[in-house]
Amino acid sequence: MELIQRRWANLSLLAVTAVWGATFIVVKRATEDLAPFPFLAIRFAIAFITLLPFVWVGRHHLTKTGIWKGLALGCFLFGGYATQTIGMQYTTASNAGFITGLSVVLVPALVTSTTHKLPHPTLVLGIISATLGLALLSLGDNLRFNQGDLLVLICAFFFALHIFFVGRYAPTENATVLAAGQILAVSILSTLFSLIFPQGSLQFTSYAWFGILLTAIPATSLAFYIQTKMQQFTTPTQTALICSAEPVFSALFAFLLAGEILPLRGLTGAALVLAGMLTAELSGSQEDLESKEGLRP
């Protein structure tokens, strides 16, 4: 039963990753009209509003602990978005894509540092495969280190912390409360950054609103609820491996929607990322994974 739950959870997380990959091209185009922080502030505010009825229905699950944990998750999530957004101004998109994807390595490192147990050898193999795949997908022939790379590495740490702590909190806290808390935190912090720092384009065009409305529910409220709910049945390391497929889905939808074709190098990278995910999925029983990652309290 637990193995079946884990596989359903991983499939659900893969579907969320596919949604994030599918909306990447939309977000990229929408933020040309509306600067990233105002875009995030409105997107996450709408997402929070859509979750409010469900929070009200399950208000008996509201606890101070759950609310504070949700807000803390939101701080990690916003930290990832903020450092990535600022860092990308001082580095290349390829460097940013690869360095952000290094959360696939950072999550098991966090797990190992807290449990003092190394990941299962097949999980290590999956991590290596996914990392090599990300490198082939993201990095060009002329690898250069830029000023923004350190900021993007900090972004990868924030995203890794988010995945890690969702895995810690999800088994004991209500998923709706955690999802609503983190979405609210991102909206508030994005609004503050919009007011404090100079913003670029602030054109509320029809496409900007299209991007906001399209991403607010499927890619935000629904996606983070599913992630929070499903991580109680799987491990942070497997979640990170699944999320590493986001650039694969991004490339797939870029081909379907914009006709962009991956070169052989990119196709090889995509295959390695998927191979890493499959290796992790076939790496053993749920009990073995839980004991190695300290998933159970």
Side-chain angles (χ1 to χ4, degrees):
M1 177 61 73
E2 290 187 357
L3 182 60
I4 294 172
Q5 285 180 325
R6 176 171 64 84
R7 287 185 173 168
W8 273 112
N10 289 344
L11 282 173
S12 299
L13 291 169
L14 186 62
V16 166
T17 303
V19 169
W20 285 334
T23 56
F24 179 83
I25 192 170
V26 176
V27 172
K28 183 179 179 181
R29 170 65 182 82
T31 50
E32 292 175 3
D33 297 335
L34 185 62
F37 286 124
F39 179 88
L40 288 172
I42 300 170
R43 167 185 165 180
F44 277 78
I46 294 173
F48 176 71
I49 291 169
T50 62
L51 279 179
L52 279 179
F54 301 97
V55 174
W56 175 254
V57 170
R59 58 189 180 278
H60 55 282
H61 292 296
L62 282 170
T63 63
K64 287 184 179 180
T65 302
I67 293 170
W68 280 113
K69 286 180 178 179
L71 293 173
L73 291 174
C75 290
F76 294 136
L77 190 59
F78 174 77
Y81 279 120
T83 49
Q84 184 184 58
T85 300
I86 298 170
M88 282 185 69
Q89 297 178 32
Y90 305 101
T91 188
T92 62
S94 59
N95 278 28
F98 173 68
I99 295 170
T100 301
L102 288 179
S103 57
V104 74
V105 178
L106 297 173
V107 170
L110 286 169
V111 171
T112 299
S113 69
T114 55
T115 63
H116 306 292
K117 293 180 180 179
L118 293 174
H120 193 277
T122 48
L123 273 177
V124 174
L125 183 62
I127 292 164
I128 293 171
S129 179
T131 304
L132 289 174
L134 284 167
L136 291 175
L137 265 171
S138 306
L139 298 178
D141 294 325
N142 301 317
L143 175 61
R144 289 187 305 132
F145 291 97
N146 304 290
Q147 286 182 333
D149 289 345
L150 179 58
L151 273 174
V152 182
L153 181 60
I154 295 171
C155 145
F157 271 104
F158 275 120
F159 284 139
L161 286 168
H162 178 259
I163 291 173
F164 176 75
F165 279 103
V166 168
R168 291 284 165 152
Y169 297 158
T172 58
E173 301 295 337
N174 180 263
T176 306
V177 173
L178 287 180
Q182 60 186 300
I183 288 170
L184 176 61
V186 174
S187 180
I188 291 172
L189 291 170
S190 297
T191 301
L192 289 175
F193 266 59
S194 300
L195 296 173
I196 294 171
F197 296 100
Q199 299 301 310
S201 176
L202 291 174
Q203 302 176 54
F204 288 87
T205 62
S206 57
Y207 198 93
W209 280 112
F210 168 72
I212 288 169
L213 296 174
L214 182 67
T215 57
I217 298 176
T220 306
S221 58
L222 185 59
F224 286 111
Y225 170 79
I226 291 173
Q227 181 193 356
T228 305
K229 183 71 175 177
M230 293 303 166
Q231 268 198 247
Q232 64 182 296
F233 303 116
T234 189
T235 65
T237 296
Q238 285 205 317
T239 302
L241 277 164
I242 291 166
C243 290
S244 72
E246 184 177 349
V248 177
F249 286 112
S250 178
L252 173 63
F253 283 98
F255 167 72
L256 294 174
L257 300 176
E260 297 181 12
I261 299 175
L262 274 179
L264 179 60
R265 175 176 179 157
L267 291 172
T268 305
L272 283 170
V273 170
L274 296 176
M277 289 169 47
L278 287 173
T279 301
E281 181 61 30
L282 301 174
S283 64
S285 68
Q286 175 70 355
E287 290 82 6
D288 180 55
L289 287 168
E290 287 176 346
S291 66
K292 290 182 180 297
E293 298 216 27
L295 189 63
R296 284 178 178 160

